[in-house]
């Protein structure tokens, strides 16, 4: 946060780059909360749209959910900030489950095999 254009370039250029959305949803909410300053609100909306674009283009390589317990709020608040973005179920599934699953499968096949056995996949 807020170098979303840089993150997008790295993700486009290098297919082994994964993004982490830790604290970004909460930071965007915090950035725009309790302000009457139109310039700050405009900048917040600009960052929010840049972040939304980044997530939509790279949801299959974006991790989310590692915020707790040091995130911006409790677990429910962290996920509610995430849900407030209104992403499709497919994008939510990527960020909440599939990306982490694919990350472990790619970078630690032994652990992935163990998880497959434990979960009966």
């Amino acid at each position: 946060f807020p170098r979303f254009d840089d993150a997008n370039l790295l993700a486009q250029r290098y297919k082994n780059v994964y993004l982490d959305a830790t604290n970004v949803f909460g930071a965007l909410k915090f950035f725009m909360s309790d302000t009457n300053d139109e310039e700050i609100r405009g900048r917040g909306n600009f960052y929010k749209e840049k972040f939304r674009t980044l997530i939509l283009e790279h949801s299959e390589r974006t991790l989310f959910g590692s915020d707790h317990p040091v995130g911006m709020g409790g677990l429910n608040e962290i996920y509610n900030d995430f849900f407030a973005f209104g992403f499709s179920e497919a994008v939510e599934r990527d960020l909440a489950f599939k990306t982490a699953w694919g990350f472990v499968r790619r970078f630690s096949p032994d652990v992935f095999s163990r998880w497959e056995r434990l979960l009966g996949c």
Side-chain angles (χ1 to χ4, degrees), residues 1-9 11-12 19 21 24-25 28 31-32 41-59 62 85 87:
F1 180 85
R3 296 185 177 117
F4 303 126
D5 287 336
D6 293 340
N8 198 8
L9 286 172
Q12 287 174 353
L19 307 171
V24 178
F25 293 100
L28 285 166
F31 187 80
M32 295 177 62
R41 189 166 296 284
R43 213 171 328 142
N45 283 324
F46 174 78
Y47 291 143
K48 183 177 180 179
E49 288 311 308
K50 290 285 187 179
F51 181 60
R52 174 180 291 285
T53 298
L54 178 68
I55 295 298
L56 291 175
E57 289 182 22
H58 304 289
S59 67
T62 302
F85 262 69
F87 291 121

Side-chain angles (χ1 to χ4, degrees), residues 1 23-35 40-41 44 72-73 77 81 85:
F1 180 85
N23 283 327
V24 178
F25 293 100
L28 285 166
K29 177 182 168 187
F30 179 76
F31 187 80
M32 295 177 62
S33 68
D34 297 328
T35 184
I40 291 174
R41 189 166 296 284
M72 301 181 86
E77 187 174 0
D81 291 344
F85 262 69

Side-chain angles (χ1 to χ4, degrees), residues 62-114:
T62 302
L63 299 160
F64 170 75
S66 60
D67 300 50
H68 188 70
V70 296
M72 301 181 86
L75 197 55
N76 286 340
E77 187 174 0
I78 290 166
Y79 275 92
N80 285 332
D81 291 344
F82 168 58
F83 297 143
F85 262 69
F87 291 121
S88 69
E89 287 183 4
V91 170
E92 284 187 9
R93 193 176 310 111
D94 281 350
L95 271 68
F97 305 107
K98 287 179 71 176
T99 300
W101 185 254
F103 184 89
V104 173
R105 178 181 26 197
R106 180 174 181 187
F107 294 106
S108 187
D110 293 340
V111 171
F112 182 79
S113 294
R114 181 182 178 97

